[in-house]
Amino acid sequence: MKRWVRRTLTVGGVPGYMDFVEAVLDQTHEEHKAMRKWFGGPFDPKSFDVNAVNIALRDVEG
């Protein structure tokens, strides 16, 4: 499973994901550096791989 799929699935649901995106895209946000470090690098919210997400969800479902 791709790193970004794992991270975005564990960010805390929709509200957590929205907070994450806000912080990671705004270099002046107080949590910017911490979120980039937690994620492991840059993040592009427009980059979406539906196949990777479906695989990740199948793994979660068991």
Side-chain angles (χ1 to χ4, degrees), residues 3-37:
R3 172 182 45 89
W4 70 266
V5 173
R6 287 193 308 268
R7 290 294 192 190
T8 53
L9 288 174
T10 61
V11 77
V14 173
Y17 179 76
M18 292 174 69
D19 291 343
F20 166 75
V21 170
E22 179 182 340
V24 82
L25 294 181
D26 179 0
Q27 293 181 7
T28 64
H29 193 284
E30 64 185 29
E31 294 293 320
H32 176 77
K33 287 182 184 178
M35 290 294 176
R36 278 201 54 165
K37 183 177 180 180

Side-chain angles (χ1 to χ4, degrees), residues 1-14 16-17 20 38-39 43 48 52-61:
M1 182 180 339
K2 291 184 178 182
R3 172 182 45 89
W4 70 266
V5 173
R6 287 193 308 268
R7 290 294 192 190
T8 53
L9 288 174
T10 61
V11 77
V14 173
Y17 179 76
F20 166 75
W38 173 79
F39 185 71
F43 175 75
F48 183 77
V53 172
N54 285 334
I55 290 168
L57 290 174
R58 278 195 295 258
D59 291 346
V60 170
E61 291 175 353

